[in-house]
Amino acid sequence: MIVEQVIGNVTTLVKKAPHVEKIYMPSENLLKRIQRVMTDHGKEIGIRLKGNQCLMDGDILYMDDKNMIVISVTPDDVLTIMPTSLQQMGEIAHQLGNRHLPAQFEGNEMLVQYDYLVEELLQKLEIPYKREKRKVKQAFRHIGHQHD
């Protein structure tokens, strides 16, 4: 089976199929438009997305009355940063921005992929954080940029 488009996402789906097959993948694979994957039931699927489409956790690749195939992202090793003030948020955002480090935000938390140098910086600046395995909704995307 070759999938060329995402049907929807389980978070917005009204009626779900009774049986769910999952494709477990690391978040960095969400950015790949062409790939071959295997469901947890041993079914091989080819993915060939058009344009600039990217996958997200919970995306549905196939669905009929009885079965659906869904993307499930495996947890990433992340630093969850929990600034206690606007000052702390500004400081860490500035520091991470200078490093061109991609970040995601969930509520009042900033998520970045684990890096021991960032962990040392957080300790030095006394900004609360925790290192954890956490499922992210989308891939950490590096933004191409060069200093002139």
Side-chain angles (χ1 to χ4, degrees):
M1 172 188 299
I2 296 177
V3 174
E4 294 185 331
Q5 66 181 2
V6 173
I7 295 171
N9 194 286
V10 294
T11 58
T12 58
L13 193 62
V14 177
K15 185 180 178 193
K16 297 177 183 171
H19 182 260
V20 178
E21 286 186 60
K22 292 188 178 183
I23 297 171
Y24 294 101
M25 69 172 53
S27 66
E28 64 264 13
N29 287 5
L30 295 174
L31 298 174
K32 294 179 180 177
R33 292 182 321 102
I34 300 171
Q35 57 186 309
R36 187 176 300 259
V37 296
M38 189 78 70
T39 72
D40 60 348
H41 288 65
K43 189 180 295 178
E44 191 173 51
I45 307 284
I47 299 173
R48 186 174 57 211
L49 300 176
K50 296 177 190 223
N52 292 330
Q53 272 190 311
C54 292
L55 295 169
M56 293 182 67
D57 184 53
D59 276 351
I60 303 164
L61 302 184
Y62 171 82
M63 186 167 79
D64 61 22
D65 293 340
K66 298 177 184 168
N67 191 34
M68 58 196 279
I69 299 174
V70 178
I71 298 293
S72 183
V73 177
T74 56
D76 279 287
D77 188 9
V78 299
L79 291 170
T80 301
I81 305 168
M82 303 159 289
T84 57
S85 68
L86 189 57
Q87 172 83 25
Q88 280 187 343
M89 176 54 92
E91 286 176 7
I92 195 61
H94 177 73
Q95 293 283 339
L96 298 179
N98 280 342
R99 298 169 190 225
H100 302 283
L101 196 68
Q104 295 184 27
F105 298 88
E106 291 185 15
N108 292 327
E109 298 176 334
M110 175 190 278
L111 306 175
V112 296
Q113 290 176 307
Y114 177 77
D115 180 308
Y116 74 93
L117 294 173
V118 174
E119 186 172 35
E120 288 175 2
L121 176 66
L122 291 165
Q123 290 168 350
K124 179 181 163 195
L125 295 175
E126 297 180 353
I127 297 175
Y129 75 95
K130 61 185 170 188
R131 181 178 178 183
E132 63 184 334
K133 292 282 189 184
R134 187 161 171 174
K135 205 172 183 180
V136 295
K137 292 181 178 71
Q138 56 193 19
F140 287 97
R141 185 185 303 263
H142 288 274
I143 298 171
H145 176 76
Q146 293 179 344
H147 289 281
D148 295 324

